[in-house]
Amino acid sequence: MSVSEYQFLDKIFDDLFPICRSISGPGLEASIAYISQFMPLTVTKVTSGTKVFDWTVPPEWHFKRARLWGPDGNLICDSDNCNLHIVNYSEPVDTEITLEQLQPHLHSIPHLVDAIPYVTSYYHRTWGFCLSHQQREQLSAGTYRVKIESHFDENGGVPFAQTLLSGESEREILLSSYLCHPSLANNELSGPLVLIGLYHRMLRWPRRRFSYRFLLNPETIGSLCFLSQHHQHLQQHLEAGLILTCLGGPSANLRYKASKRGDSLFDRYIGQLADKDDWRMEPFTPLYGSDERQYCSPGFNLPMGQVAKTVYGVFPQYHNSLDDKAFMDMDSVIDSINQLEQLLLSAEISGKALNLKPYGEPQLGKRGLYPNINTPTNRRTSSDQLLDGRQELNAILTILSASDGNTYMLDIAKRLNLPLASLRQVIEKLEQHQLIRFNTGETL
């Protein structure tokens, strides 16, 4: 981690955190526009009222401010102080009501007395305020003033934003995160921060075997809007993908939720890492999670998994005001970037390779890959190499023998009883000498 990278992401967090985002509207669009300073995003907006599979794109929510005054005239809730105070997608209200009438519109968390909950009502018109349970318990009988300044635009829409880092192949890795929550840290901004960090890391890679698509969208409806326009392209070109969520909490290891298919590059590779306790891995389930539920639905069944660190639903700060910068440590975000970059680098060499000189063993000596004088003194390479001379030669011969276009390099590494990362230099040498080529879906 560099100091400049930390400061870069830290400032992005500070600038994005106060914005009141939702699944549509000015807050979301301002956030996408801000992030486009750091990634060249192309924005598509699907118009309100559009049928998207079994869903209808909702009207665009324009929210200005929400305030609640008590019987004594004192201000109890003000969204200018905390945008979690408003039930997201609340309809406009300007009225006076009793405490008894107000209570059904109030939300708090009894077991977290100081936390302000995050509550939404996207597809059912209502209104409400969120406040700490301690504050709610102190409300007294009387007449309350409610003022919610909002409106709905039937001609608005739901946006999604994407960019593509082209590689040597048209086969794609999709990296996606959601952007739709207001001031939440781990459960909102950690995913986009990791996405931005990975984009800048990968810009510096000397080569990319795959192409990488980066996607930001509001959760659920945004991914459905994206799929409605791009599912055929994904069916043809998607190698594997990851939904990035909750990547800034205090947990040490990343948790991977497999795709429903269970056969993607990430499913295979992380399955082996999990055997060595480097990752946690869970099977696919539609009961909890994020946009992987849409990608893995039966009509698409795409090879999309999900990766998280401090996982949604299991930390007390989930969906409330305690999920702030103090909980989401920036060092943890950068650690997630580091781990995911290594995962992607390994995924680049974990697929199926084809031996381009398959008739007998190619002459390795003339390529400097086999000792022309075979003595005990030349069987070990310099000490800075990952593999000694005999290991490297064994790896070369085994890779060439097994590279039939149908065998994963990951399985070849397992056969050699070596970590896949330790084979990177050998694989690159074989590619440089045009002895193997990865089968990334095109005609070889």
Side-chain angles (χ1 to χ4, degrees):
M1 177 195 72
S2 66
V3 174
S4 59
E5 183 179 47
Y6 184 103
Q7 293 173 337
F8 168 63
L9 295 175
D10 195 56
K11 183 179 188 308
I12 293 174
F13 176 92
D14 289 343
D15 290 344
L16 286 175
F17 189 76
I19 298 175
C20 185
R21 282 172 292 276
S22 186
I23 59 172
S24 69
L28 173 60
E29 295 187 20
S31 299
I32 291 173
Y34 176 86
I35 293 173
S36 68
Q37 299 175 75
F38 314 108
M39 301 170 65
L41 295 171
T42 299
V43 181
T44 303
K45 193 170 183 178
V46 180
T47 306
S48 299
T50 302
K51 288 288 291 182
V52 178
F53 307 115
D54 195 45
W55 296 65
T56 301
V57 177
E60 191 171 285
W61 187 54
H62 289 248
F63 171 69
K64 182 179 180 181
R65 192 177 184 184
R67 284 167 288 177
L68 173 66
W69 291 269
D72 56 4
N74 288 331
L75 194 59
I76 297 170
C77 293
D78 185 350
S79 63
D80 278 0
N81 296 329
C82 176
N83 57 39
L84 295 177
H85 276 311
I86 183 67
V87 170
N88 207 282
Y89 248 67
S90 281
E91 60 188 349
V93 179
D94 190 351
T95 190
E96 293 185 348
I97 58 175
T98 66
L99 178 60
E100 184 179 9
Q101 294 170 317
L102 176 63
Q103 284 288 5
H105 295 278
L106 297 182
H107 305 271
S108 62
I109 308 174
H111 67 281
L112 293 173
V113 296
D114 296 322
I116 301 169
Y118 164 60
V119 179
T120 69
S121 184
Y122 301 135
Y123 302 101
H124 171 70
R125 290 287 176 91
T126 187
W127 61 270
F129 286 89
C130 302
L131 67 170
S132 73
H133 197 67
Q134 183 180 57
Q135 188 178 22
R136 186 177 184 179
E137 291 287 279
Q138 294 172 352
L139 298 179
S140 57
T143 301
Y144 288 74
R145 171 82 191 283
V146 175
K147 187 171 185 179
I148 299 175
E149 299 171 83
S150 66
H151 72 272
F152 296 95
D153 183 359
E154 301 288 345
N155 297 313
V158 167
F160 60 84
Q162 60 181 313
T163 191
L164 183 71
L165 271 180
S166 296
E168 298 168 7
S169 166
E170 292 184 356
R171 298 292 290 172
E172 292 183 9
I173 303 290
L174 173 60
L175 302 172
S176 176
S177 191
Y178 52 79
L179 190 67
C180 55
H181 300 70
S183 295
L184 299 175
N186 181 52
N187 189 59
E188 166 74 350
L189 291 180
S190 66
L193 287 174
V194 169
L195 202 69
I196 294 168
L198 285 173
Y199 177 83
H200 283 268
R201 294 277 188 93
M202 294 163 69
L203 277 176
R204 301 193 294 269
W205 285 9
R207 66 182 295 196
R208 293 181 292 271
R209 293 174 179 83
F210 293 109
S211 295
Y212 290 83
R213 187 172 299 275
F214 296 77
L215 174 66
L216 281 169
N217 57 255
E219 202 167 21
T220 305
I221 188 63
S223 63
L224 289 169
C225 287
F226 172 74
L227 282 164
S228 71
Q229 298 189 14
H230 295 279
H231 68 93
Q232 291 179 333
H233 173 87
L234 295 177
Q235 294 286 4
Q236 295 175 6
H237 297 286
L238 186 64
E239 184 70 27
L242 294 172
I243 306 297
L244 308 180
T245 178
C246 295
L247 289 164
S251 303
N253 293 337
L254 296 180
R255 194 283 323 255
Y256 177 68
K257 177 182 174 183
S259 73
K260 188 170 71 173
R261 289 167 42 165
D263 62 355
S264 77
L265 289 183
F266 296 135
D267 295 331
R268 291 173 178 273
Y269 184 51
I270 297 173
Q272 290 194 17
L273 292 179
D275 291 340
K276 301 174 183 177
D277 296 323
D278 293 321
W279 282 63
R280 295 170 288 152
M281 185 169 179
E282 295 179 3
F284 175 83
T285 173
L287 299 181
Y288 306 101
S290 184
D291 287 333
E292 75 281 352
R293 296 184 302 173
Q294 313 311 320
Y295 289 93
C296 294
S297 59
F300 304 127
N301 199 22
L302 292 163
M304 290 289 291
Q306 182 222 88
V307 64
K309 180 178 279 188
T310 302
V311 181
Y312 46 85
V314 300
F315 58 96
Q317 297 85 351
Y318 178 66
H319 273 193
N320 64 69
S321 58
L322 301 181
D323 184 5
D324 56 14
K325 195 175 184 180
F327 175 69
M328 192 211 74
D329 181 65
M330 196 60 63
D331 285 328
S332 182
V333 169
I334 293 174
D335 178 66
S336 293
I337 295 171
N338 291 338
Q339 292 188 60
L340 284 168
E341 183 183 23
Q342 291 307 308
L343 171 68
L344 295 172
L345 285 167
S346 294
E348 288 251 312
I349 59 170
S350 69
K352 300 171 183 178
L354 185 70
N355 186 333
L356 300 178
K357 303 286 185 182
Y359 301 105
E361 290 181 1
Q363 189 176 355
L364 301 177
K366 68 180 182 181
R367 297 175 171 88
L369 300 177
Y370 195 97
N372 288 314
I373 301 176
N374 192 4
T375 73
T377 61
N378 67 8
R379 291 178 185 164
R380 182 171 294 276
T381 56
S382 60
S383 59
D384 63 343
Q385 299 297 310
L386 287 171
L387 304 179
D388 65 35
R390 178 53 61 185
Q391 285 179 314
E392 181 173 283
L393 182 57
N394 286 345
I396 289 172
L397 294 172
T398 303
I399 289 170
L400 289 172
S401 175
S403 292
D404 55 7
N406 296 307
T407 303
Y408 285 91
M409 192 65 68
L410 180 62
D411 295 327
I412 298 173
K414 189 174 182 180
R415 186 182 307 175
L416 287 162
N417 197 29
L418 291 170
L420 179 62
S422 71
L423 298 180
R424 187 182 312 280
Q425 289 184 352
V426 173
I427 291 168
E428 290 174 351
K429 285 181 182 180
L430 293 174
E431 287 180 309
Q432 289 165 8
H433 288 286
Q434 297 183 337
L435 293 176
I436 65 168
R437 179 183 165 190
F438 277 93
N439 182 353
T440 51
E442 295 81 20
T443 301
L444 290 169

